[in-house]
Amino acid sequence: MVPEGFVRFGAATALAATLALGFAAQAAADPAVGSSNVATADPAVPRPPGQPCVVTLFTNVSFDDFNARPYSYAPPGSCTGAWSKVVLEADFSVTAGRQYDRTATLWLGGVNLYFGTTQEPSATVSPAWHVERDLTDYAALLRNAGQGQAIIGNLVNDTYTGVIHGTARLLFYPASARARAADVPDAVYALGSDPVGTTATLNTPTDKLARTLTLPTNVERAYLDVFTQSQGGDEFWYTCVPDAYAAQVNECGGGNFREAEISIDGQPAGVAPVYPWVYTGGIDPYLWRPTPGVQTLNFMPYRVDLTPFAGQLSDGAPHEVAVQVAGANNNFAATAALLVYRDAHAKQVTGKITRNTLVGQAATPIIGSTLATASNGDLAGDITTKLDRRFVIEGYANTSHGRVTSTVTQETGFDDTQTFTINSSTYRQQTGQRTWSDSTSQSRLGNFLTVERHQHFNYPFSLDYNQQLASDGSTNAASIVHQGYRQHDELRLLGLTLYGADVDNTVDSQDTLVFDASGNLSSHSGQQSAQAFAFHDTLGGCYRASLTTQAGAVASYNAGKGCPDGSNRVSWFAHPDGSPDSSLLPGR
């Protein structure tokens, strides 16, 4: 993250001060060639200089049923001052055998600390994996003791034998002359109703995760971290088609457009795109051994800027903040946390929303079809789903430093094509999907533009599923998957670019399943995958790593190739994993 003083200095002074902090190399262990254990090219969370204080949440806990595993938390007694960074580390494993992928969440005081899924084991491989999350922006929550829990619901019996184990800890890095205190939100509020923490189930577009809050009367900025994870009938939402075509092409109905929608007191307040995560049992489990899909083991939240509503939220009245999923069709697991910055020099902030063009904009995609049935019954053609829209939300807040007008402008797009080829020997479905979002947050003092932030997200996804029936009644099902996660951030102060960063993470995988005439899986072949992860920023930070797999084992791994000096080096305050960062947003 950008140090606290980054937007207070002049641009040249800030850049020089930041570069003087030096760089921190990535600490992630390199995957070993030939290994069948979990292997990813993802970067670790960069760390500031100095030794952290460590608080253990739980150690070697077994997850073999659907009960939560509670734990007690107390802040570190030896690191009571300001923190430059807070990092969650968790290590998981599952014993060899048969087991499903499982949703994994960690909580404290109702707030989500981690959200992801588990790796499926095989009969001979007991996978182990490590995840990290930057929790610096949740420091206000971590200042107080509280109750937390780990939830990894897992069925273990004579058939499903894999037992999951986990350990988790928080690392607190004290602020120092070399690592300044982070400029973090003053309060963190969970949207869920569970005082310890759990996800809400959203089965329909009208279901909502909501909480009514009476916030401090001096809110200056506000953001919402949103997770929406597809489960149940929605797990493969990216392959679904509108109900009118579902029976014709033998696919799930409900359409394939999904979007998280945020509201305040029932008024639309923002949107968050839904990432098409594929879990390690999804489509074909061999696709994800040993490299899972993009973010499968460690989801990133999407941060929505609610700052235009700061004046409204500060009026001392209760306000409902809610999340819904457009297109939800059984079911999405959702959680969200509201991050609030307060005006330290004002007891009362006033203001209101002056413009909101999202009101009245229904998320109704345009559906098209070229499906055609031949005289012999063969079916072929496309089903398309498209939605493009733009909205502006603007509001002002009377603060201790004057009237601040905050404007969020966002363009979102969704483009999906499902191509079908269905005949007596072939069932082929080709999915091509792209979800994107461009947003700009601007802050004006009077009529003077002070700070603006630009963000771009792009989620390309494609799946080619090709099932062929042989003359002996056996079938083979070949799957080719491409996932991408692209993010661009840019922060400008007084029209000058202070900081910019790009993240690009792709996973490509393929495999073919073979079933006998009775429908039993008899073998698989052709498993191979590749992951490439790249990060660079305007301060010279660079991270690049890539790997390939073959037949369920790591075939190659390269780190640093393409970076200066051939090595990965990023600033300790950078976010190479794409996690959100409030200090890149308009503010102090």
Side-chain angles (χ1 to χ4, degrees), residues 513-540:
L513 300 175
V514 179
F515 300 88
D516 63 24
S518 299
N520 300 308
L521 178 64
S522 58
S523 64
H524 79 104
S525 63
Q527 186 283 325
Q528 58 181 298
S529 68
Q531 183 188 9
F533 201 114
F535 167 84
H536 70 271
D537 64 17
T538 54
L539 299 181

Side-chain angles (χ1 to χ4, degrees), residues 118-484:
T118 67
Q119 184 86 359
E120 281 196 1
S122 71
T124 58
V125 177
S126 174
W129 62 99
H130 176 84
V131 296
E132 300 182 357
R133 183 177 171 192
D134 188 336
L135 291 178
T136 310
D137 283 349
Y138 292 69
L141 169 74
L142 302 172
R143 286 289 175 189
N144 302 306
Q147 297 302 305
Q149 60 186 10
I151 303 177
I152 308 179
N154 187 32
L155 174 65
V156 177
N157 55 27
D158 292 340
T159 301
Y160 301 103
T161 58
V163 178
I164 300 168
H165 295 85
T167 296
R169 56 202 163 271
L170 291 168
L171 282 67
F172 298 83
Y173 290 84
S176 67
R178 293 187 297 162
R180 298 186 58 158
D183 179 22
V184 298
D186 297 299
V188 181
Y189 302 91
L191 254 60
S193 59
D194 190 300
V196 181
T198 190
T199 56
T201 299
L202 308 181
N203 285 314
T204 72
T206 58
D207 293 344
K208 61 184 179 181
L209 162 68
R211 186 177 177 188
T212 299
L213 298 163
T214 301
L215 297 174
T217 57
N218 58 348
V219 174
E220 190 173 34
R221 291 188 285 151
Y223 310 98
L224 191 70
D225 280 356
V226 179
F227 289 98
T228 49
Q229 181 216 14
S230 58
Q231 297 196 1
D234 266 323
E235 179 175 349
F236 302 104
W237 61 270
Y238 40 81
T239 67
C240 294
V241 298
D243 290 336
Y245 307 103
Q248 187 179 11
V249 298
N250 193 28
E251 251 299 357
C252 50
N256 49 49
F257 172 73
R258 302 291 186 273
E259 177 185 80
E261 301 183 331
I262 293 81
S263 63
I264 295 177
D265 300 328
Q267 179 181 175
V271 300
V274 174
Y275 190 82
W277 291 306
V278 184
Y279 315 130
T280 55
I283 305 170
D284 171 352
Y286 295 102
L287 291 166
W288 318 116
R289 298 177 184 173
T291 297
V294 171
Q295 294 184 7
T296 296
L297 304 180
N298 189 10
F299 305 155
M300 291 293 114
Y302 185 91
R303 181 163 291 179
V304 180
D305 187 356
L306 299 178
T307 300
F309 293 86
Q312 177 178 325
L313 295 172
S314 298
D315 63 5
H319 295 282
E320 182 197 67
V321 182
V323 176
Q324 296 167 267
V325 176
N329 194 35
N330 184 37
N331 74 58
F332 270 78
T335 183
L338 181 66
L339 311 180
V340 169
Y341 286 84
R342 301 172 63 179
D343 187 337
H345 304 290
K347 292 183 178 180
Q348 179 71 61
V349 168
T350 61
K352 65 178 182 179
I353 290 291
T354 56
R355 187 183 182 193
N356 188 346
T357 64
L358 187 56
V359 174
Q361 280 200 37
T364 306
I366 298 171
I367 308 298
S369 172
T370 61
L371 289 177
T373 303
S375 58
N376 62 355
D378 293 353
L379 178 69
D382 300 339
I383 301 173
T384 59
T385 305
K386 294 185 178 183
L387 178 67
D388 293 285
R389 57 181 175 161
R390 179 183 186 273
F391 61 87
V392 180
I393 301 177
E394 185 171 275
Y396 70 84
N398 296 313
T399 71
S400 62
H401 40 274
R403 172 168 290 193
V404 177
T405 300
S406 299
T407 306
V408 174
T409 303
Q410 188 168 352
E411 296 183 38
T412 62
F414 180 84
D415 192 334
D416 180 277
T417 300
Q418 305 285 336
T419 300
F420 292 92
T421 304
I422 305 173
N423 54 49
S424 59
S425 62
T426 300
Y427 181 93
R428 187 176 187 184
Q429 180 180 2
Q430 295 166 279
T431 298
Q433 186 180 103
R434 186 172 77 96
T435 304
W436 58 270
S437 172
D438 280 307
S439 62
T440 299
S441 295
Q442 295 179 320
S443 180
R444 287 180 169 84
L445 188 58
N447 294 322
F448 189 61
L449 177 62
T450 55
V451 182
E452 59 183 332
R453 184 198 183 183
H454 300 277
Q455 270 196 309
H456 172 75
F457 292 89
N458 187 9
Y459 305 156
F461 175 82
S462 65
L463 164 62
D464 185 346
Y465 179 82
N466 190 355
Q467 181 175 302
Q468 298 289 328
L469 175 65
S471 58
D472 63 358
S474 64
T475 60
N476 64 75
S479 298
I480 302 174
V481 182
H482 168 78
Q483 285 181 293

